[in-house]
Amino acid sequence: MFNRVAFVTGASRGIGRAISLTLCRTGFDIVVASPEIENNELVAEEIRACSGEAMTLNLDVTSQESIKEGFTKVLADKTRIDVLVNNAGITRDGLAVRMKVADWELVLKINLQGAFLCTQQVLPSMMKNRWGRIINIASVVGQAGAAGQANYAASKAGLIGLTKALAQEMASRSITVNAIAPGYIATDMTKGLPDEVKQKILASVPLGRMGTPEDIAAAVKFLASEDAGYITGHVLAVNGGMYM
Ligand code: NAP
């Protein structure tokens, strides 16, 4: 019996790292993909330390060449990608009135176009295998909006639309496409928030704490499993109840 292969973008840190470690414990071979090869190797070492299989890939989702080259290499080596987790993402916050076009473009390019281009690369092999799981890491901000995050909110709302369109296109091949919408999760992305902002956010979370990367990884593990085979086009909120 072969191991299924899960490809995780933005896997070097935070949520992507937790997803990689959780899926490897479930028996997946992991492709750890992000721009910095040294950071990918650190996560790969953690995976190998718990007897998992890891391949690292230098992947910059702003570059079509990097995406095409990367996926071609993995498919040549592993022959299959069963699960794609589009997790790579950034913020470039600022009020819309003063937002630089470069900040708008970069956020859309990484968070939305990157996910689309990576998905295009895996669809042919998933269609051939008549099985696949695409899991897009969106955000509560894509559902509820947030002042100062017009670019980020648009990218994550776009990712939710992309999820639903793909779910409809791919259902006949038993490929499910779902999104996870995390609330505020303790990672480098939220580390720099001022204390008063963090307190305000916490006050809006009924479960009374920030989420952990492992909270998101647990949801990915479920959506990647056979048990989730009848779920597609869904947006799973993992947000402590902050948006219902
Ligand atoms: P993070 O700690 O800042 O990690 C971001 C990851 O994305 C890193 O691995 C980074 O690689 C990678 N990345 C950045 N630019 C990339 C590019 N051009 N190509 C490929 N990979 C790239 O963020 P996080 O909190 O774990 O967030 C992961 C995902 O969850 C993002 O999509 C984010 O929008 C979403 N999310 C996060 C929260 C939260 O509260 N943290 C809430 C909702 C949704 P490097 O290490 O090389 O920079």
Side-chain angles (χ1 to χ4, degrees):
M1 178 63 183
F2 60 89
N3 280 355
R4 283 191 163 141
V5 177
F7 189 119
V8 185
T9 72
S12 59
R13 299 187 272 136
I15 292 171
R17 170 182 166 274
I19 292 169
S20 301
L21 293 172
T22 298
L23 289 181
C24 99
R25 289 189 199 105
T26 317
F28 286 93
D29 290 357
I30 309 294
V31 183
V32 180
S34 83
E36 301 291 336
I37 200 74
E38 301 80 20
N39 297 342
N40 293 333
E41 270 306 325
L42 293 176
V43 176
E45 275 165 29
E46 289 186 87
I47 290 173
R48 291 176 196 128
C50 53
S51 310
E53 282 270 338
M55 172 178 180
T56 56
L57 190 74
N58 206 348
L59 177 81
D60 175 358
V61 300
T62 63
S63 154
Q64 267 181 272
E65 295 81 68
S66 169
I67 291 173
K68 197 151 189 251
E69 240 174 65
F71 280 87
T72 305
K73 191 164 163 229
V74 173
L75 284 166
D77 199 76
K78 296 271 179 197
T79 72
R80 56 191 303 122
I81 294 170
D82 302 284
V83 176
L84 170 65
V85 185
N86 285 310
N87 166 76
I90 62 158
T91 52
R92 288 289 182 277
D93 296 350
L95 292 175
V97 69
R98 285 193 293 272
M99 186 174 283
K100 294 193 174 69
V101 174
D103 286 339
W104 169 270
E105 283 179 350
L106 186 63
V107 169
L108 269 288
K109 199 165 192 183
I110 292 178
N111 297 6
L112 181 56
Q113 182 173 294
F116 170 65
L117 293 175
C118 290
T119 302
Q120 267 194 326
Q121 293 295 313
V122 297
L123 288 180
S125 86
M126 285 183 179
M127 287 163 77
K128 196 166 133 244
N129 293 338
R130 294 195 154 268
W131 198 94
R133 299 277 191 265
I134 295 168
I135 301 166
N136 295 323
I137 307 301
S139 170
V140 65
V141 172
Q143 300 174 299
Q149 293 197 299
N151 49 0
Y152 186 77
S155 73
K156 296 298 187 179
L159 197 51
I160 290 171
L162 174 66
T163 300
K164 293 182 180 184
L166 284 170
Q168 291 178 39
E169 287 187 20
M170 289 298 132
S172 65
R173 312 294 175 110
S174 299
I175 298 167
T176 67
V177 189
N178 292 290
I180 292 172
Y184 282 82
I185 310 300
T187 67
D188 292 344
M189 188 175 270
T190 49
K191 195 167 70 181
L193 288 173
D195 269 349
E196 66 271 20
V197 175
K198 278 192 186 156
Q199 289 314 319
K200 211 170 145 199
I201 291 168
L202 270 183
S204 74
V205 180
L207 282 174
R209 65 170 176 88
M210 284 181 89
T212 63
E214 288 71 26
D215 289 324
I216 308 306
V220 171
K221 175 180 158 184
F222 170 63
L223 288 175
S225 72
E226 289 294 348
D227 288 344
Y230 201 54
I231 300 173
T232 196
H234 184 67
V235 183
L236 180 56
V238 185
N239 63 21
M242 71 181 290
Y243 180 79
M244 297 182 184

